[in-house]
Amino acid sequence: GLPTLPRLSLNSPLALTGPVLVALPCLLAALFGMNTYAPYGADAAFGIAVGAAAVVAMAQTLILAARPPLVEPLFGGLDRMYRVHKWLGISAMVLMILHQQIEPDFERLVRETSLGDLGEEAGELAFNALLALVAVSWFRRLPFIGLEIPYQLWRFSHRFMGALFAIVVFHQFFVDMPAGVDPTFMLVLNAFGIAGVVAWIFTELLAPHLRRRDFTVSQIRQTGDTTTLTLRPEGRAMRWRPGQFAFFRAPEAGLSEPHPFTIASAPRPDGTLTFSIRGLGGWTRSLPAILRTGTRVQVEGPYGRFNFRKGGARQIWLAGGIGITPFLAWAESLTEAESRDIHLIYCVPTQDEAIGVETLRAAVARNPRFSFEVFVTARDGRLTAERLISATPFAVRQADLWFCGPTGLKDGVLKGLKAQGQTPRRVRFEQFEFT
């Protein structure tokens, strides 16, 4: 359906810093443009202001798409950074529409040039094409009819954003403007434009070679519709924290599009890692038939800030379906010295679909303060707040709740807990899907 603004669950006090830092340049560019062009009338000043804000918003969209690792903590994780990226793109689209409707008319104040005419035509072209691409990104799942644009087509179209933005930058460089205008404003705007284009070039041409590490598939296991891959590093191993995710691709097997998956294992001395991937679409369903032991794959990461060690002394881990993966990595990382009281509730449709139970049992054997139960909905019915309260060996309202799984499960349980007066101290989760 129609996209909605997500409710923030902050993993860090810095999590609001990122959204504020990307909103401020857009606002300042609009104010700067309005002040610079105020002598030419209110309509001209407003048209320039919204156009400037659109350029700055689109530039920052491309910068965030480059996944700068130093910026991720300011948003509370890559999942939330991508949410801001999405809404920046939508904001840029709205601002471009306003700029198009209130286009400043400087024909009597400038000496027109051939480059200026070309810049104006380029702006028209880029506007219409960007409008279409942003609309595709916004309505990836078409409202009311439930039709979903295939991920491969969505991502392929998304890659043209930077090229079209480069045309917008050309437009702002060469479109004819009044000669007496303070050039400082255009210098600032051009700097953002160039930064956005450079970020896009880095993302498309350099990042794939600098960030991806080569792995080999050493083991494949199938549990129901879930494929578990064990990958052995070729060369330098990747370092990650339990709970983080990475982008996986297998170009040798014809799966060149990178997809994000949580790493379902803790760091190991030999550098091997595990992905447990549920078959939810054509790409993921094809893995068992296409991948073989010995297939070379590529992994980019790690990303994410889902870290239970930043939580309190009592924790509830709630997993729905394939949302068990970060908790498997956490459980594997538990040692005898772990002092937190932790109870995991793992919801699956049927017992046969439960994965990683042996990892959870090994964690219980190492640390008696960790416990878990598998909640089978076909046998036990839906998990309710009352059942969660009775299953947890300590008071829910005194614990942190960590969640990964379908949004409906989280919302239903939290609503019930609130009604029971057992709202957890803190609720932390990552977006289950952020494309």
Side-chain angles (χ1 to χ4, degrees):
L2 294 171
T4 56
L5 283 168
R7 290 176 292 175
L8 289 177
S9 173
L10 306 180
N11 291 334
S12 145
L14 289 175
L16 281 177
T17 305
V20 170
L21 287 180
V22 298
L24 276 178
C26 298
L27 178 61
L28 292 175
L31 293 175
F32 197 2
M34 187 170 288
N35 183 64
T36 301
Y37 283 86
Y40 299 93
D43 287 349
F46 184 75
I48 291 292
V50 295
V55 168
V56 172
M58 198 64 200
Q60 292 186 101
T61 298
L62 294 171
I63 292 170
L64 294 185
R67 305 173 194 152
L70 296 179
V71 173
E72 181 187 344
L74 303 180
F75 294 83
L78 187 66
D79 57 326
R80 287 164 177 79
M81 191 168 83
Y82 265 123
R83 291 282 168 167
V84 175
H85 160 89
K86 171 184 174 179
W87 285 99
L88 269 176
I90 293 171
S91 301
M93 179 183 73
V94 173
L95 292 167
M96 283 189 291
I97 292 173
L98 289 173
H99 177 69
Q100 183 76 1
Q101 297 301 313
I102 317 172
E103 186 176 358
D105 183 9
F106 297 124
E107 288 187 6
R108 299 179 182 179
L109 303 173
V110 300
R111 186 177 66 180
E112 295 187 3
T113 64
S114 57
L115 274 178
D117 291 339
L118 181 60
E120 188 170 348
E121 293 173 4
E124 291 281 348
L125 170 67
F127 166 76
N128 292 312
L130 276 172
L131 200 62
L133 289 184
V134 173
V136 166
S137 296
W138 191 356
F139 296 108
R140 186 185 166 202
R141 288 185 181 86
L142 299 182
F144 310 118
I145 61 175
L147 181 65
E148 182 175 348
I149 297 172
Y151 175 82
Q152 290 82 357
L153 178 59
W154 172 84
R155 190 174 185 277
F156 179 75
S157 66
H158 215 63
R159 296 178 68 178
F160 286 101
M161 290 281 191
L164 293 174
F165 181 71
I167 299 175
V168 171
V169 173
F170 176 86
H171 162 78
Q172 77 180 34
F173 261 86
F174 295 108
V175 69
D176 293 318
M177 304 297 283
V181 174
D182 183 356
T184 307
F185 169 66
M186 289 307 297
L187 288 174
V188 172
L189 207 57
N190 291 341
F192 272 99
I194 292 171
V197 173
V198 169
W200 173 67
I201 292 173
F202 173 81
T203 301
E204 294 297 325
L205 301 180
L206 297 178
H209 303 287
L210 297 176
R211 291 179 172 174
R212 291 173 184 165
R213 289 185 170 89
D214 292 326
F215 284 77
T216 299
V217 178
S218 60
Q219 187 179 33
I220 303 175
R221 298 193 309 276
Q222 194 70 24
T223 306
D225 60 357
T226 299
T227 304
T228 298
L229 305 173
T230 301
L231 308 181
R232 183 183 68 250
E234 299 291 331
R236 187 165 59 96
M238 189 175 74
R239 300 176 64 183
W240 73 93
R241 295 188 306 273
Q244 290 189 295
F245 63 92
F247 289 83
F248 169 85
R249 66 195 293 264
E252 187 178 284
L255 303 173
S256 58
E257 294 290 342
H259 285 59
F261 302 105
T262 299
I263 302 170
S265 57
R268 299 164 178 168
D270 61 359
T272 59
L273 60 83
T274 299
F275 287 123
S276 290
I277 302 169
R278 186 181 177 191
L280 296 173
W283 196 97
T284 50
R285 291 193 188 103
S286 69
L287 293 179
I290 293 178
L291 294 181
R292 296 287 183 270
T293 301
T295 301
R296 295 190 67 184
V297 299
Q298 293 179 331
V299 177
E300 177 192 334
Y303 297 103
R305 303 182 65 78
F306 201 49
N307 186 357
F308 80 96
R309 298 191 187 281
K310 295 181 179 180
R314 292 180 175 176
Q315 299 186 15
I316 302 167
W317 298 353
L318 176 57
I322 198 61
I324 189 63
T325 50
F327 302 119
L328 292 179
W330 288 359
E332 186 178 329
S333 73
L334 292 176
T335 65
E336 298 84 349
E338 178 60 55
S339 60
R340 295 172 178 84
D341 293 316
I342 300 169
H343 184 66
L344 165 66
I345 298 177
Y346 176 19
C347 299
V348 288
T350 65
Q351 185 67 49
D352 293 340
E353 296 181 58
I355 63 171
V357 176
E358 64 282 357
T359 299
L360 301 178
R361 288 172 179 160
V364 170
R366 285 195 308 274
N367 192 310
R369 306 188 77 154
F370 173 74
S371 59
F372 80 96
E373 66 178 286
V374 179
F375 196 90
V376 180
T377 54
R379 179 192 66 208
D380 307 319
R382 290 179 59 85
L383 176 68
T384 63
E386 292 80 2
R387 290 183 174 183
L388 185 144
I389 292 169
S390 63
T392 305
F394 41 80
V396 174
R397 64 174 176 270
Q398 297 175 358
D400 294 345
L401 175 64
W402 296 81
F403 173 82
C404 188
T407 303
L409 173 62
K410 169 177 64 68
D411 292 345
V413 168
L414 289 180
K415 183 178 179 181
L417 290 176
K418 183 178 180 180
Q420 295 284 327
Q422 290 285 336
T423 300
R425 293 176 63 249
R426 285 175 293 185
V427 178
R428 299 190 177 186
F429 62 95
E430 286 190 321
Q431 302 293 340
F432 201 49
E433 180 180 351
F434 56 86
T435 57

